Amino acid sequence: MSLKIAIIGAGPAGFYTAEAALKHWGGAAEVDIIDRLPTPYGLIRAGVAPDHQSIKAVTKRYDGTAGGQGVRFIGNVEVGRDVSIDELRGLYDAVVLSLGAPLDKPIGIPGDDLPGVIGSAAFVGWYNGHPDFAGLEVPLGHHGVAVIGNGNVAIDCARVLAKTPAELATSDIAQHALMALEGSGVRDVHIVGRRGPHQASFTTKEAGELGHLERAQPLLRAGDLPPLEEDAALEPGHRKMVTHLRGFAAAERSDKPVTIHFEFFRRPVAVEGHDKAERLIVETTRLEDGRAVGTGELHAIPCGLVIAAIGYRTPPLAGVPFSEQLGRFESDAAGRIGAGLYASGWARRGPSGTIGTNRPDGFSVVEAMVADGLAGGAAGGAGLDALLASRGVRATGFADWQALDAAEVARARPGAPREKIVDMAEMLALLG
C-alpha cells in the first residue's frame, strides 16, 4: 500500500522534499505538490532576479521531479481557503509545509506605513511578475530611493533600479516593470545598513556586478572601511567581496547619471513626508562588540521610495504551531511539527541560505517520516480531487503549467526568455 504525501508549496523546498521521497520510496510513494498559483517554482520564478537567468536553470531539475512517476503538481489550490490543514492530514499519510517565507518583515519605525514604503518581497514580486504584486504602485518619480538591508536582496533591488532598459531587455523582467523603469527619475539609490562592510552579507558576485553597470557607479565612504589588515581575518569569499567595496571607495567619481550609495553605519529611525515618503531619517552608528549602537547623529536621505529588505516571514496556518518571534512554524530539528505533519525549507528554519540549502531539509524530513514509521492507507490524491470537485475548485496540473510556459515563451520580446503572464484570470482563461 503506497504512502500518500502532500507537500504544500511548489518552490525549491517542496521539490527537494518530493525528490527525497522518491529516492527513498520510489514507486511505493505518491506525492502531491500543492500550490496556490497555477505556476510552480516559487522563489525561483518570483524571487530570483530576472537578470540572473543561470540560477533559474535549476527548474529543469524540478521538471524531472514533477514529470516523474508518482508525483503530481496541483496548482490553483490555496490551503486555508480551498482545503484546510486538518482535511489534508485526514487525506494523506504525511503533510509537509514548504510554504517558504513570502511575507515581508515590517521595518517597525514611525512612518513605515506611508505610501512609498514597501517590502522587498513586494518590490521583487512586482518586477518579477508575481500575480499578487503586478498592480503594485511603485513611485519612481523622485531622484532618491532608499533600500534598507545589507544582503543580496538589497543589491538585487538596487541593481534593477540602476540598470538601463537595454540591460534588462534580455531578462524575464515583467513588461509592466520594464515600462515603469524606462520612465524612472531615480538617480540616487542608497543601500542602508546598521553595521559596516565586514558585517554585510553580500556575496562576491552580487557586489562585483555593481562595478559593471552601464549607467551607474557604486560609491562608499572610505572612512566606513576598517583598516586593510583586518581583512585577513575574513573568510576568503567574504574578503573578496570586501575587496570590491574597497575598489568602489577608491574609484574617482564618474559622469554616470546614477549613483549607488553604500550607506554603512546608518540605522533607520523614521520615514517622513507629507502623505507620502519623502525622506528616510537615519542615525549614525558605531560598533560595540559587533552590535550597532546609535550615536545620536541624525541624517536625512531624500527619497520617494523606501524598500525594506530586512527579512521575511512564513504565513501562519490555522491549527499549526507558529513562532511569532521567529516568523516560522515550530518544529524539531528534523522538521517534525506533529503526527504526520512536517516542515521543510524556510518554513522550517527561517529565510537563510541558498536555493540548494533547501535540499538537505527535504532529505531530513523524509528521514523523520521513516523514523516515525508512517504507514500507507490514506485516500491521498483521489480524496483531494473529490473534495476540490465538490467545492468547485478548478485545480491545475503540470500539463497546464507547460501550456502556460509555452504561451509565455511565445510572447517574449526579442532576446528575452519569456513574457510572464501576471494575471490569474488570464492564466485560467488561457487554460480554458
Side-chain angles (χ1 to χ4, degrees):
M1 196 172 293
S2 62
L3 193 68
K4 309 297 196 308
I5 302 172
I7 298 172
I8 316 306
F15 274 101
Y16 284 128
T17 303
E19 177 186 310
L22 291 180
K23 286 201 171 184
H24 183 82
W25 284 292
E30 295 178 22
V31 181
D32 285 346
I33 305 175
I34 303 168
D35 201 279
R36 70 184 184 91
L37 297 179
T39 55
Y41 311 136
L43 185 68
I44 307 299
R45 179 175 168 89
V48 172
D51 55 349
H52 283 178
Q53 288 296 308
S54 61
I55 297 175
K56 300 192 178 193
V58 72
T59 58
K60 292 183 175 62
R61 177 178 187 146
Y62 304 155
D63 287 346
T65 299
Q69 187 174 3
V71 177
R72 291 195 309 166
F73 168 68
I74 303 175
N76 198 40
V77 174
E78 184 172 346
V79 176
R81 181 194 66 188
D82 301 319
V83 60
S84 71
I85 283 291
D86 286 343
E87 287 171 330
L88 289 173
R89 294 179 77 176
L91 289 169
Y92 291 86
D93 301 300
V95 176
V96 184
L97 305 179
S98 303
L99 301 171
L103 305 181
D104 283 298
K105 289 175 84 172
I107 309 174
I109 58 176
D112 66 359
D113 57 347
L114 284 171
V117 180
I118 60 178
S120 58
F123 182 67
V124 170
W126 172 75
Y127 66 60
N128 267 326
H130 191 293
D132 289 354
F133 305 111
L136 187 70
E137 291 292 330
V138 180
L140 297 172
H142 196 287
H143 72 86
V145 173
V147 184
I148 303 172
N150 266 185
N152 281 343
V153 175
I155 282 192
D156 283 344
C157 294
R159 188 181 66 255
V160 169
L161 286 164
K163 276 193 167 185
T164 64
E167 287 175 295
L168 292 168
T170 56
S171 74
D172 66 348
I173 189 169
Q175 184 66 26
H176 63 256
L178 185 61
M179 292 175 63
L181 290 166
E182 284 178 352
S184 170
V186 174
R187 294 296 178 265
D188 294 283
V189 182
H190 303 263
I191 302 177
V192 181
R194 293 177 297 118
R195 299 189 293 170
H198 275 195
Q199 291 74 43
S201 57
F202 313 130
T203 59
T204 301
K205 178 181 182 295
E206 298 275 353
E209 282 181 308
L210 297 186
H212 303 283
L213 300 179
E214 188 175 311
R215 66 169 181 171
Q217 179 183 18
L219 294 176
L220 69 143
R221 296 176 292 271
D224 284 346
L225 288 158
L228 180 61
E229 57 269 21
E230 293 184 15
D231 287 4
L234 298 174
E235 181 270 333
H238 198 69
R239 184 164 61 245
K240 190 172 181 181
M241 183 278 291
V242 173
T243 299
H244 283 307
L245 298 181
R246 291 190 182 279
F248 301 156
E252 292 186 7
R253 187 67 181 259
S254 73
D255 60 356
K256 291 183 177 182
V258 177
T259 305
I260 299 173
H261 307 265
F262 283 93
E263 304 280 0
F264 291 111
F265 300 109
R266 297 286 190 262
R267 181 175 71 89
V269 296
V271 181
E272 294 182 347
H274 293 91
D275 301 321
K276 63 180 180 179
E278 295 176 345
R279 58 194 163 271
L280 176 68
I281 306 302
V282 296
E283 179 183 19
T284 300
T285 64
R286 65 174 183 272
L287 289 181
E288 290 185 4
D289 298 323
R291 294 176 57 250
V293 177
T295 64
E297 181 183 342
L298 299 179
H299 303 269
I301 297 175
C303 55
L305 173 62
V306 178
I307 302 170
I310 57 174
Y312 306 104
R313 293 170 57 85
T314 296
L317 284 172
V320 181
F322 186 84
S323 170
E324 289 290 344
Q325 180 181 2
L326 298 175
R328 58 173 172 78
F329 298 117
E330 294 180 350
S331 67
D332 65 14
R336 189 184 289 104
I337 298 174
L341 184 62
Y342 307 85
S344 69
W346 284 6
R348 167 193 168 191
R349 68 176 193 280
S352 63
T354 64
I355 291 167
T357 310
N358 294 290
R359 189 170 183 270
D361 277 7
F363 282 84
S364 174
V365 164
V366 168
E367 289 170 5
M369 292 181 190
V370 174
D372 291 346
L374 298 182
L384 177 62
D385 292 348
L387 180 63
L388 295 176
S390 72
R391 293 175 177 172
V393 178
R394 198 292 198 201
T396 63
F398 194 67
D400 292 318
W401 154 242
Q402 290 174 315
L404 292 174
D405 180 38
E408 290 185 345
V409 171
R411 64 174 64 183
R413 59 186 171 270
R418 67 177 63 245
E419 180 57 50
K420 289 177 181 172
I421 302 170
V422 302
D423 182 75
M424 287 281 286
E426 183 181 355
M427 291 183 194
L428 298 175
L430 188 148
L431 297 174

